Amino acid sequence: MAHTYQLFIDGKWRDAADGATMPAINPYNQEVHAQVPIATTADVEEAVQAARRAFATTWSKTTPGERARLLNKVADLLDADADRMAVLETTDNGKVIRETGSQMGYAARIFRYYAAWADKLHGDVVPLDQKDTLDLAIRVPYGVVACVTAWNSPVAILTNTLPAALAAGNCVIVKPSEHASTTTLEMARLCEAAGFPAGVVQVVTGAGEVGAALTGSKGIDKISFTGSPGVGRMIGSVAGGNLKPVTMELGGKSPNIVFDDADFDRALVGALAGIFGATGQTCIAGSRLLVQRGIYDRMVEGLAKRAAQIVMGDPRLPETEMGTAANEPQFNKILSFIDAAKGDGARLVAGGGRADGPGLDKGFFIQPTIFADVRNDMKVAAEEIFGPVLSIIPFTEEEEAVQIANDTPYGLASGVWSENIGRCLRLTRAIQSGVVWVNTYRVAAPQAPFGGMKDSGYGRVRGEAGILEFTQTKNVFIDFSGDKRDPFSMKF
């Protein structure tokens, strides 16, 4: 029987004001596994006002040590509930259990990391020319933060922002994707169990109208958004009209560059991980594989052979290597890109359509697909697909690889495979992306900042940079001279 969820507003679980719900559909079997509420505009505004009250009366008066204790408690609860949470997320979006399971542990690590940051926002004493004035530059929270997250890794994306915002002293309202909301609601339950005061952590669910109401509210002080550039532009426009700061992570079309002198076997595995891990539904997918001509044919052949061996099936089983597209709209979008690549003349060497076979007939399964001899101006190479579709592009010289890598509006992630340390260092500087992996791919750490350049967004999550995104600098002048002053001349 499908579980019916409720909104979490002002410390209470309740239905949407008009009682409306939407189905949560398991992409593996297309069965409804839950009902999720659709918040009204009034529900959203109630959450905003509850957050403002909580910040003014409770949360802004909470000590850093108390915030740290609550964040560590969430981490403990998440560790204890990790297996159930992993199964639920796999059920919600089709990602394999071997990844959702590890993501739950990783999320707990991020909570603990930012718990340790809660009492480390020291600020500075600023030396001035004025001898009788003490100057303090201190870090303070914004107040009420709206976090809008995506469907591909709901818990991981949420924990990129939620614990940092809370550690900094903000109240947070989360709006998850309508395609994967259940684990975010469960995270709110863990925060409730940990003892966060009412209104400090809230969740409103629904489609784009709910997100627009939240990010457009004048009661919001800061916005964090993960999603598409199109929606990001709309949010940025509204936020600009309200003069509200925004942090955005907007996806990518990442180049994964393999040189002739690379460790071939490691690079092949890295290429597979970059595009077929998480069914390619990740902002950091290495969807453009640039291969130097000396090993090009060998790499194409090796990848095609390995792609055909990828185990697909029930994503809840540990032996499954690749799950489904997360939802039907995404499934159809991926297939349309495959058709476009065929029409543009790219050479299909693996996959190329919907996957079939035992246990695959009801799910949104797509074959691991590889196109060779791709030009960078083809649609399959130019636009973000968010699926298991790899474009292999040949290059001759290092300068050509850099030119192809940067010939995109995106700039989130990239990879470089070479045993030449000088070349690796040159490319880490030359490639226009927020993250560069060298002789590895798709690696993350709580301590390491993450974010994009160009159309991949701005601002950073994780690391020290991640918590600073949720603070602003307040300057305090203290005059201890005791002198009277000229009231008509500013003191410099």
Side-chain angles (χ1 to χ4, degrees), residues 8-12 50-51 53-55 58 171 195-202:
F8 187 57
I9 297 176
D10 201 12
K12 299 180 180 65
R53 287 193 302 273
F55 182 75
T58 306
C171 294
F196 278 89
V200 175
V201 178
Q202 303 177 88

Side-chain angles (χ1 to χ4, degrees), residues 74-308:
V74 174
D76 292 342
L77 292 169
L78 183 54
D79 276 339
D81 205 23
D83 291 344
R84 185 185 68 89
M85 289 282 284
V87 171
L88 181 58
E89 186 143 303
T90 289
T91 303
D92 219 14
N93 73 354
K95 180 173 283 191
V96 293
I97 196 73
R98 58 171 68 185
E99 175 142 310
T100 57
S102 64
Q103 284 184 331
M104 297 306 154
Y106 180 62
R109 286 168 54 197
I110 296 180
F111 267 92
R112 291 191 178 95
Y113 174 78
Y114 281 117
W117 260 107
D119 61 359
K120 309 294 189 303
L121 297 170
H122 298 150
D124 296 296
V125 176
V126 182
L128 303 180
D129 293 337
Q130 295 93 324
K131 63 181 179 180
D132 296 325
T133 304
L134 175 67
D135 189 80
L136 306 176
I138 59 177
R139 309 294 305 190
V140 298
Y142 280 96
V144 178
V145 174
C147 288
V148 180
T149 60
W151 46 256
N152 56 313
S153 292
V155 169
I157 292 171
L158 176 60
T159 50
N160 277 341
T161 55
L162 177 63
L166 293 172
N170 299 280
C171 294
V172 182
I173 306 170
V174 184
K175 190 276 175 189
S177 167
E178 65 272 26
H179 294 296
S181 301
T182 60
T183 50
T184 300
L185 289 162
E186 294 289 348
M187 283 294 299
R189 197 174 299 281
L190 297 182
C191 290
E192 178 189 30
F196 278 89
V200 175
V201 178
Q202 303 177 88
V203 179
V204 292
T205 53
E209 296 82 0
V210 179
L214 179 60
T215 56
S217 172
K218 295 184 183 299
I220 295 296
D221 300 305
K222 163 84 177 184
I223 300 168
S224 171
F225 172 69
T226 302
S228 70
V231 177
R233 287 187 177 92
M234 289 190 288
I235 290 175
S237 177
V238 172
N242 290 333
L243 297 178
K244 306 298 183 182
V246 185
T247 299
M248 293 192 182
E249 193 269 278
L250 304 176
K253 195 67 185 177
S254 301
N256 201 0
I257 307 170
V258 184
F259 287 89
D260 289 350
D261 66 341
D263 182 320
F264 183 88
D265 293 335
R266 288 184 65 203
L268 189 147
V269 171
L272 285 167
I275 189 59
F276 298 129
T279 318
Q281 295 172 128
T282 170
C283 54
I284 56 176
S287 53
R288 292 186 298 149
L289 184 67
L290 282 56
V291 182
Q292 200 163 21
R293 292 187 183 276
I295 57 169
Y296 181 80
D297 291 339
R298 182 185 173 197
M299 181 62 72
V300 170
E301 181 181 354
L303 286 170
K305 181 179 179 180
R306 181 62 182 87

Side-chain angles (χ1 to χ4, degrees), residues 252-254 275 286-289 333-348 369-393:
K253 195 67 185 177
S254 301
I275 189 59
S287 53
R288 292 186 298 149
L289 184 67
K333 177 186 175 183
I334 296 167
L335 291 177
S336 72
F337 270 96
I338 292 173
D339 289 341
K342 293 175 181 176
D344 286 341
R347 177 163 62 96
L348 180 66
T369 297
I370 301 175
F371 288 97
D373 306 342
V374 175
R375 299 190 314 274
N376 205 47
D377 61 352
M378 290 181 177
K379 181 178 181 179
V380 70
E383 299 182 22
E384 186 176 40
I385 301 172
F386 229 65
V389 182
L390 178 64
S391 298
I392 307 181
I393 303 171

